[in-house]
Amino acid sequence: MEKSKKKRRKIKIHRLSAVTALIIVCVTAFCSHIYAAEAAKTENLPPRVIAHAGGTARGYNTTNSLEAVLQSIEAGHTLIELDMLITSDEKIVMVHDFGSSWTKQYLGVEFDKRPTAEEYLSNKIHGMFTPMSFDMLTPILDEHPDVRIVTDCKENSLELLSLIARKYPDYIDNIVPQIYDYYQYEQVKRLGYKDMIFTLYTMNYMDYGRLLAFVADKEIFAVTVGIGYAYEEVAYRLAADGVRVYMHPLNNFSDANALIEKGIYGVYSSTLAPDEFEGDERSFYLTDPLSGEKLSDVTLANVSLTEILSLPVYGAGSFGIWYYMDGYALSQALLDNMADGMHTLTIKNLRYSEGTDYVIYKGTKAGRKYLRIVEQKNAYRLKNIREYPDMAEKLSLYAGLGSKEKNMLMHSVVMAAGECGYYDAGVLKEFRISEYDTAVPVYVYEDSSGRNSAGMVTSPVNTWDGRPHINYENILIYLPEGIVLTEKEKEVLGKAAKYIFNDWNRAKEEIYATCI
């Protein structure tokens, strides 16, 4: 939720004694004055986070896809970095490179030579996301004029920037070019670009004095330094000398916050959002009760005030915490009576002028009510929550199987690509796997010489790997031990399993996105 909306929200405060209320009003007014002064100082500063390679699209990073850009804008990004290249027919597309390793991993195809724009755009990224061209970007910039695009070109960046200036002159102010050497500055400036980011990862030699003088003299927008790259230590020297420095790439909040504490201005990130480092949200937030990390997404088994209050709050201090649901003081009665669906949970205390907002979802699973709390940037995960159908009931309505085949499916593990719910011996289960777990189901892209083809899924639990299985149009079935089927029989079972999953009209999301 935007800060302006937060300020307009009416808050109902608990009754307090007249003296206590007066003290709180005075302290709050004083704190609000201090925070307002600080906000005025930082109001015109650029965001702390630049969306890396378009940001994230339903949990998939560095796709440079249409979906990633739109999701980043929804999450509040106004600086979005995109990889760009020129196609053989001189069109600009968003792609890291046309090498076989990238296109095979992301598109499932290989190009014998530099493709045309049509050849590149006719594919899907990870089988589900839309590749972008600059022509597709301009309507988005028209609709969101405050959004600016940071360019990253792994080939001839001057040729790319010249083409943008020539074909899209009305969008030059929306472009923040990355330059990779000193000589590029004057050439890019002559093309009409204003703000520039000096990126150090391709430099072969570093003269710190020259770099610092250049950045100051040319009024460079920022310097970007890669974490783990040769000149990482230069980032801290520049920051100490008053230069705005971004580091990349970084997706962990604690690590990014630690860099900012050291003086680094911001980070390029696929998953972090600018609001996480602005105002109260950087210092006052819920934490995950298991990991202790900043809370991103948690499901509470009951609609319980006690469970919400038990979530640890970082930065609470000794002032205590106030909880509000849709602007009203939180109570068990309010939770019980609120409708199913999405709501706003706000935590506040006297140290913070605005508090921190979360999206909370009230739903029903297996006949029981539950609550799910996510950060604002992850609200998209809640938009596709649905009830999972009962497998036995669905199979009873499917005419394409006999009792033997139905019994076989009821004793199998059945799942779909991108889903968290799956059936094990007919029982609905869920899995929630962290980004660090190598067993996360993903799309894999290999050639046709006996290996997987584009769009197939891998197992979330390695212990199933020894079982016979069917991989049919993104449906994965692990059969009972010892079962041997013909290709035709596998197809029949695959179609039946697809019938079970298809009526969800599901979106392909990150592996933990649709957990309920």
Side-chain angles (χ1 to χ4, degrees):
M1 181 177 293
E2 296 177 358
K3 292 187 176 181
S4 60
K5 293 181 181 178
K6 290 183 181 179
K7 292 176 182 176
R8 291 196 296 267
R9 188 184 296 116
K10 295 181 180 179
I11 302 297
K12 180 180 179 182
I13 301 178
H14 300 291
R15 286 185 179 176
L16 302 168
S17 69
V19 174
T20 305
L22 180 60
I23 292 172
I24 289 176
V25 168
C26 292
V27 172
T28 302
F30 175 75
C31 291
S32 296
H33 173 75
I34 296 298
Y35 283 117
E38 290 300 312
K41 291 179 186 177
T42 60
E43 191 174 40
N44 296 319
L45 292 176
R48 297 279 185 177
V49 184
I50 297 174
H52 178 237
T56 184
R58 305 170 193 161
Y60 291 81
N61 299 336
T62 66
T63 63
N64 290 286
S65 66
L66 173 65
E67 290 81 2
V69 170
L70 295 177
Q71 187 173 314
S72 291
I73 292 173
E74 185 177 354
H77 284 282
T78 54
L79 274 179
I80 301 174
E81 183 230 24
L82 288 169
D83 297 304
M84 299 185 188
L85 288 180
I86 301 173
T87 61
S88 61
D89 53 347
E90 295 193 341
K91 302 291 179 61
I92 299 172
V93 295
M94 313 309 166
V95 58
H96 183 274
D97 63 82
F98 290 125
S100 61
S101 61
W102 193 94
T103 58
K104 192 174 180 181
Q105 178 184 354
Y106 285 79
L107 301 178
V109 301
E110 296 180 56
F111 299 112
D112 295 331
K113 57 184 180 180
R114 181 175 296 269
T116 64
E118 183 179 358
E119 287 170 338
Y120 173 70
L121 297 172
S122 64
N123 298 280
K124 286 288 186 180
I125 299 170
H126 293 314
M128 64 186 98
F129 302 123
T130 309
M132 286 195 73
S133 66
F134 206 99
D135 287 334
M136 296 165 64
L137 182 63
T138 55
I140 296 174
L141 297 177
D142 289 338
E143 188 174 352
H144 304 279
D146 59 326
V147 170
R148 296 201 291 171
I149 303 300
V150 177
T151 65
D152 191 10
C153 180
K154 301 297 190 293
E155 296 179 354
N156 190 334
S157 60
L158 294 178
E159 181 183 358
L160 175 89
L161 295 171
S162 179
L163 184 58
I164 293 174
R166 188 169 70 252
K167 293 188 66 174
Y168 307 97
D170 293 340
Y171 296 92
I172 278 188
D173 288 345
N174 293 100
I175 302 299
V176 180
Q178 288 190 141
I179 61 174
Y180 306 88
D181 210 332
Y182 300 103
Y183 74 91
Q184 294 183 344
Y185 174 81
E186 292 297 339
Q187 297 182 50
V188 173
K189 184 178 180 181
R190 282 196 295 269
L191 291 172
Y193 298 98
K194 297 174 183 175
D195 290 335
M196 294 178 222
I197 293 177
F198 196 178
T199 300
L200 304 185
Y201 73 86
T202 63
M203 295 193 70
N204 295 319
Y205 171 75
M206 174 60 61
D207 180 332
Y208 183 77
R210 181 187 180 191
L211 174 64
L212 183 62
F214 174 83
V215 170
D217 179 58
K218 304 303 183 185
E219 297 184 350
I220 294 293
F221 176 79
V223 174
T224 295
V225 182
I227 294 174
Y229 285 72
Y231 303 118
E232 181 175 346
E233 75 283 354
V234 171
Y236 304 105
R237 292 184 65 185
L238 288 169
D241 284 327
V243 176
R244 184 183 297 131
V245 178
Y246 287 91
M247 297 189 75
H248 70 88
L250 203 60
N251 292 330
N252 179 274
F253 172 82
S254 298
D255 293 342
N257 202 31
L259 286 179
I260 292 173
E261 293 289 344
K262 293 178 181 178
I264 300 300
Y265 184 81
V267 297
Y268 287 51
S269 177
S270 296
T271 59
L272 299 174
D275 283 353
E276 294 183 74
F277 299 92
E278 296 174 1
D280 300 346
E281 294 188 25
R282 182 181 167 196
S283 307
F284 181 58
Y285 50 81
L286 296 173
T287 62
D288 190 291
L290 296 179
S291 68
E293 295 289 325
K294 186 170 188 264
L295 186 142
S296 173
D297 188 338
V298 66
T299 299
L300 305 180
N302 302 293
V303 180
S304 166
L305 176 64
T306 302
E307 285 197 54
I308 294 176
L309 299 183
S310 68
L311 294 173
V313 180
Y314 180 88
S318 58
F319 289 102
I321 307 159
W322 297 338
Y323 295 80
Y324 303 93
M325 186 69 69
D326 297 330
Y328 295 93
L330 185 61
S331 66
Q332 186 62 52
L334 183 62
L335 286 174
D336 292 338
N337 293 322
M338 75 180 191
D340 284 7
M342 295 168 66
H343 301 268
T344 299
L345 172 69
T346 305
I347 60 172
K348 290 174 67 75
N349 77 4
L350 284 177
R351 295 179 64 189
Y352 302 100
S353 59
E354 295 175 353
T356 302
D357 286 345
Y358 294 86
V359 179
I360 189 166
Y361 184 92
K362 182 180 181 182
T364 305
K365 180 172 62 175
R368 295 187 61 181
K369 295 290 183 181
Y370 70 93
L371 295 175
R372 184 170 170 195
I373 304 172
V374 303
E375 289 181 289
Q376 293 272 346
K377 68 179 183 181
N378 293 327
Y380 74 93
R381 297 180 185 175
L382 305 177
K383 295 178 181 178
N384 295 288
I385 288 182
R386 60 191 60 78
E387 290 296 313
Y388 290 74
D390 178 81
M391 187 175 184
E393 182 180 343
K394 288 290 292 183
L395 284 176
S396 70
L397 301 174
Y398 187 71
L401 288 184
S403 58
K404 178 182 176 181
E405 288 82 5
K406 289 180 180 179
N407 183 64
M408 191 181 300
L409 276 182
M410 287 298 295
H411 288 84
S412 300
V413 175
V414 185
M415 67 182 69
E419 290 293 345
C420 252
Y422 67 96
Y423 295 94
D424 187 354
V427 178
L428 177 64
K429 297 183 179 180
E430 299 167 2
F431 50 90
R432 182 182 293 256
I433 301 176
S434 78
E435 61 183 304
Y436 306 107
D437 194 321
T438 57
V440 174
V442 295
Y443 279 74
V444 293
Y445 299 92
E446 297 178 356
D447 59 32
S448 57
S449 61
R451 300 198 296 266
N452 290 329
S453 58
M456 292 194 175
V457 293
T458 58
S459 165
V461 180
N462 289 332
T463 55
W464 297 336
D465 286 348
R467 293 171 61 167
H469 64 275
I470 301 168
N471 205 330
Y472 179 82
E473 294 185 12
N474 300 329
I475 305 297
L476 188 60
I477 307 168
Y478 284 92
L479 300 165
E481 296 281 358
I483 296 293
V484 178
L485 299 176
T486 66
E487 291 303 313
K488 182 63 178 177
E489 290 170 330
K490 290 180 180 179
E491 183 180 357
V492 170
L493 287 180
K495 287 181 177 179
K498 186 176 180 180
Y499 166 76
I500 294 171
F501 285 92
N502 262 1
D503 79 333
W504 296 351
N505 189 29
R506 56 185 171 77
K508 295 285 197 298
E509 297 212 8
E510 59 185 300
I511 200 58
Y512 50 88
T514 53
C515 283
I516 59 173

